[in-house]
Amino acid sequence: MESSFLLTLPVEIVHRILDCLNIQDIIFSFRYVCKKFYSITNIYNRLKVELSNHSSDTRIHRLYRIISPENVRTLILRNSYYNNELNDIDYFFSFNDIHRFTGLRFVRLDSLTEKDFRTVIHHLTTLSTFKSLSIFDRRILKNDTIMFLSKVIALQSIRELDFDISTRVLNGISWPNHGMYQKLNLKLCSYKQWCHILHHSPNLRIASITKLEMNNIAKDVACNTYKQLTSLTLNCIQCPIDQVEMLLASYSSLISINLTLNIISSFANLQRFSQWEYFIGEKLPRLKTVRFRISTRISRSQDFANIKSIIAAFRTPFWLQHKCWYMRFNYVIDGEGAKFIINSSIDGYVDMFQEFESGLISYFTSTRKDEDGTKLQNVWNVIVNLPRVTQAICSRRFTIPKYYLFDNVIQLGLDIDHFDDWQRSSSFECLSKLINLSQLKEIYFLLSCKATFEASKINTILEKAMNVRTFGIKNNGSLRDHMENECAVISPQIEHFIIRSPDTCTMKVIAEHVEHISTITFSCDWSSPTTWKKIIKWLMEKEKKFSVTDDYQSIRIWMKDTSDI
């Protein structure tokens, strides 16, 4: 053990390692490895104690007797008033004097009894180094408890607050005139409360509100400016876009915004949002990062020229070159009608295996960082749930349009969640009426059920989609029965085969039975240098050429000789 690498590390590095372990592993395992680790553990002052309403056990009791309260930095207490039996939290308060926990920096309180809540909060008011408080409790607290909470918020050391509390408690808090907290997360807040908090928060830099009630926003809101705020996240906002603009115009120093807007009024709101190039340039000149999701219900009879004009507004040099902000646009037909959704995107690239808005039919396109916005026409992708579309037609909840809704659809995803229906010939006939199959270049087989992959069914579609050269499949247990036979009969027009989430055995069988295809790409949702270790060893033994992406999420195999590798 004396030659162990860990023993040669500085104590500070060992403490970093302990930061990744839970308290029981530290106290009952690591501590007893050797004398040096024993002494290191005794001075480790970043312990994290997490207690819930589970019945107490002797191992927990032993833990409390060993730890030094002053070495506890994080304390998490959950749900003590849901359990009438003696539990960990009860034992914690009976065995420990909360005032001995002088090193606390971070505390999270979740649904404690009022007595326990007040005991902890009262103690926090005595600490000069306390930094972060999280409270998740919608009950109405007593006035004296709220008074102690106000004192914690007024601490000079406080830097972060995370509250999921009732609006009545939020109203009862006496916010300090010069609050030192720099980050604030609120679950629920009215616009009036938000303005009051901002007025008392000169040091607030980062704010997040899950649900901001905008019912009483004043028309002269722009007169109130709060230049201290640099990052703002607003979710679940349902209001006209002009009110959102009035709100954001008050924060001229914003560097980052994250918005989720469910617009409940007219399509005109989206048209106004498409003009934000001018709003941002005038009102938010320092803005560098934008993330948002904006959705609205629209009529199926909506003029598609208007939709295309909205998309075109995000293809200007301001969005693509100056700001490098990219968008993904979804037009979704579901059982209730249609909706149009705009999402921000890191690079605008579309992965058919990603999760998209569910519905009968989902069309989507995007702006990308490598495109010339002045020349590129809208290239569309579509995901069709054939079983649901067929059922909707039979029940007269959906009528096939007389013309193709969007031209230039190049990618098709077949979302199959019911095995029995999609293989019928009527389903393929329906598909040809929804999409111009002759324009397709790629087809993806997306399984939500345990259907068995049958290449002959895909070949039936390929006969009408002669320009398709890429075929992909999301493996959801579908590649199992007679897999080698199915892979061998994939249409010879396919040049590129893409498989999502395969196992090593599946990869080997596919690579041996689709030699008429130029390339095979296997991809997964995780990334690790060891992800493809087994298949790489096998490929090297078979002398097959391959490459792995930098993020380790996919590996491509060349089945035919090429000088370009």
Side-chain angles (χ1 to χ4, degrees):
M1 177 57 70
E2 292 299 327
S3 62
S4 171
F5 172 70
L6 279 176
L7 291 175
T8 66
L9 295 176
V11 173
E12 294 79 8
I13 300 299
V14 177
H15 280 187
R16 287 293 186 95
I17 296 173
L18 294 180
D19 289 343
C20 301
L21 302 178
N22 65 54
I23 190 171
Q24 295 197 37
D25 289 338
I26 294 172
I27 300 301
F28 297 133
S29 298
F30 182 86
R31 185 167 178 259
Y32 291 107
V33 170
C34 64
K35 290 182 179 180
K36 183 172 182 178
F37 286 178
Y38 188 93
S39 61
I40 289 176
T41 303
N42 286 341
I43 63 172
Y44 176 65
N45 62 353
R46 297 200 290 266
L47 290 173
K48 178 180 178 181
V49 173
E50 185 170 356
L51 304 174
S52 66
N53 63 345
H54 297 300
S55 297
S56 187
D57 59 51
T58 55
R59 188 176 177 87
I60 296 296
H61 299 174
R62 182 179 164 214
L63 175 68
Y64 295 156
R65 292 188 179 96
I66 294 175
I67 64 173
S68 299
E70 61 272 13
N71 286 339
V72 176
R73 178 171 291 189
T74 301
L75 179 62
I76 300 175
L77 304 177
R78 288 192 177 97
N79 305 322
S80 65
Y81 71 75
Y82 289 126
N83 189 350
N84 294 325
E85 299 179 1
L86 185 66
N87 56 60
D88 291 346
I89 295 177
D90 295 328
Y91 186 84
F92 173 82
F93 280 109
S94 66
F95 188 84
N96 290 287
D97 180 359
I98 188 66
H99 295 91
R100 295 176 60 199
F101 289 78
T102 56
L104 285 177
R105 300 291 187 276
F106 312 96
V107 170
R108 173 183 170 125
L109 305 177
D110 188 343
S111 305
L112 300 186
T113 63
E114 179 110 11
K115 178 183 176 182
D116 293 345
F117 185 94
R118 185 165 55 249
T119 299
V120 176
I121 291 294
H122 188 195
H123 169 59
L124 296 181
T125 63
T126 67
L127 301 179
S128 60
T129 56
F130 181 66
K131 291 185 176 181
S132 175
L133 176 62
S134 298
I135 301 176
F136 297 85
D137 197 331
R138 294 285 184 90
R139 292 173 303 149
I140 306 301
L141 301 175
K142 295 180 180 179
N143 290 336
D144 58 341
T145 305
I146 297 176
M147 179 188 68
F148 287 130
L149 178 57
S150 300
K151 290 183 178 181
V152 173
I153 295 173
L155 289 173
Q156 291 296 298
S157 60
I158 200 76
R159 292 296 180 268
E160 182 175 352
L161 300 171
D162 187 359
F163 291 164
D164 182 357
I165 57 180
S166 71
T167 55
R168 182 174 173 182
V169 172
L170 201 60
N171 274 333
I173 295 174
S174 296
W175 295 88
N177 289 328
H178 299 285
M180 298 301 295
Y181 43 89
Q182 299 175 356
K183 184 176 181 180
L184 174 64
N185 298 322
L186 295 174
K187 183 71 172 181
L188 178 63
C189 180
S190 69
Y191 168 70
K192 183 177 180 180
Q193 290 172 326
W194 172 234
C195 289
H196 178 73
I197 293 171
L198 274 178
H199 183 70
H200 291 80
S201 308
N203 295 292
L204 184 61
R205 299 292 180 268
I206 302 172
S208 175
I209 306 175
T210 301
K211 186 175 182 180
L212 178 63
E213 296 179 348
M214 302 273 287
N215 297 333
N216 298 317
I217 184 169
K219 293 184 178 180
D220 59 348
V221 63
C223 298
N224 301 320
T225 58
Y226 304 97
K227 295 184 178 181
Q228 72 270 36
L229 207 60
T230 60
S231 176
L232 179 63
T233 297
L234 299 174
N235 295 318
C236 302
I237 297 181
Q238 295 189 356
C239 66
I241 198 72
D242 60 334
Q243 289 191 8
V244 178
E245 291 176 355
M246 285 192 293
L247 178 70
L248 295 179
S250 301
Y251 319 127
S252 58
S253 297
L254 280 178
I255 296 174
S256 173
I257 59 174
N258 189 338
L259 304 176
T260 301
L261 308 179
N262 299 314
I263 299 174
I264 57 177
S265 52
S266 67
F267 186 76
N269 278 286
L270 282 179
Q271 293 176 312
R272 179 159 177 167
F273 176 71
S274 68
Q275 300 170 6
W276 265 29
E277 173 179 338
Y278 310 102
F279 169 74
I280 292 173
E282 180 181 355
K283 302 296 184 181
L284 303 172
R286 299 179 60 187
L287 199 61
K288 294 182 179 180
T289 304
V290 169
R291 293 184 179 89
F292 54 77
R293 182 186 188 279
I294 298 179
S295 64
T296 187
R297 284 283 171 185
I298 62 176
S299 170
R300 289 184 186 173
S301 60
Q302 177 67 47
D303 186 355
F304 289 100
N306 291 335
I307 292 178
K308 293 177 180 178
S309 68
I310 288 176
I311 297 173
F314 292 96
R315 285 201 161 106
T316 65
F318 172 84
W319 295 95
L320 299 181
Q321 282 88 44
H322 179 53
K323 291 294 189 179
C324 297
W325 295 339
Y326 312 105
M327 310 296 159
R328 190 173 71 226
F329 308 90
N330 281 56
Y331 177 83
V332 182
I333 300 174
D334 56 23
E336 299 178 8
K339 56 184 176 181
F340 189 65
I341 304 159
I342 305 176
N343 282 289
S344 57
S345 174
I346 295 176
D347 53 19
Y349 285 98
V350 173
D351 182 352
M352 289 294 285
F353 295 123
Q354 290 179 348
E355 296 295 330
F356 290 96
E357 296 290 331
S358 61
L360 302 177
I361 308 172
S362 179
Y363 295 90
F364 49 95
T365 188
S366 65
T367 59
R368 300 194 305 271
K369 64 180 181 180
D370 61 349
E371 72 180 33
D372 184 344
T374 61
K375 298 179 180 180
L376 187 68
Q377 295 181 346
N378 291 329
V379 174
W380 288 89
N381 313 277
V382 62
I383 293 179
V384 180
N385 189 309
L386 272 180
R388 291 182 60 189
V389 168
T390 303
Q391 293 171 4
I393 292 174
C394 293
S395 61
R396 298 184 179 181
R397 291 182 292 110
F398 175 71
T399 302
I400 296 178
K402 296 180 180 179
Y403 52 88
Y404 298 128
L405 296 183
F406 295 100
D407 294 325
N408 206 17
V409 176
I410 64 169
Q411 287 188 341
L412 166 65
L414 294 176
D415 184 7
I416 311 300
D417 56 9
H418 290 89
F419 175 59
D420 294 333
D421 295 326
W422 81 275
Q423 301 177 83
R424 298 173 182 173
S425 58
S426 59
S427 296
F428 298 131
E429 182 180 351
C430 168
L431 186 64
S432 63
K433 294 179 180 179
L434 292 170
I435 302 162
N436 186 347
L437 298 179
S438 65
Q439 294 181 338
L440 289 177
K441 296 181 180 180
E442 302 177 15
I443 292 180
Y444 295 86
F445 193 67
L446 312 175
L447 285 171
S448 302
C449 64
K450 296 290 183 179
T452 301
F453 168 65
E454 295 184 49
S456 59
K457 303 300 181 183
I458 298 299
N459 290 343
T460 301
I461 300 176
L462 292 175
E463 291 175 0
K464 298 181 179 181
M466 297 302 295
N467 292 315
V468 171
R469 296 294 180 267
T470 299
F471 172 62
I473 181 170
K474 185 174 183 179
N475 182 23
N476 190 33
S478 56
L479 299 175
R480 54 183 191 272
D481 300 331
H482 309 294
M483 179 173 53
E484 61 278 9
N485 296 333
E486 295 296 339
C487 291
V489 298
I490 292 177
S491 172
Q493 79 182 65
I494 297 299
E495 297 177 359
H496 310 290
F497 194 20
I498 303 173
I499 311 292
R500 185 75 163 186
S501 303
D503 54 71
T504 302
C505 180
T506 298
M507 288 189 280
K508 291 179 180 179
V509 173
I510 292 174
E512 288 179 329
H513 291 85
V514 290
E515 294 187 350
H516 60 288
I517 290 176
S518 298
T519 64
I520 303 175
T521 299
F522 299 114
S523 64
C524 60
D525 296 320
W526 61 92
S527 60
S528 167
T530 61
T531 300
W532 310 105
K533 183 177 180 180
K534 292 182 179 179
I535 191 64
I536 287 176
K537 180 180 179 181
W538 181 82
L539 290 171
M540 294 178 69
E541 292 174 353
K542 296 292 183 178
E543 298 183 346
K544 292 184 180 292
K545 297 179 180 180
F546 65 90
S547 66
V548 180
T549 55
D550 292 338
D551 59 7
Y552 302 105
Q553 288 195 346
S554 66
I555 181 171
R556 171 173 284 193
I557 305 170
W558 277 264
M559 306 303 294
K560 298 179 181 180
D561 291 335
T562 173
S563 58
D564 296 332
I565 301 177

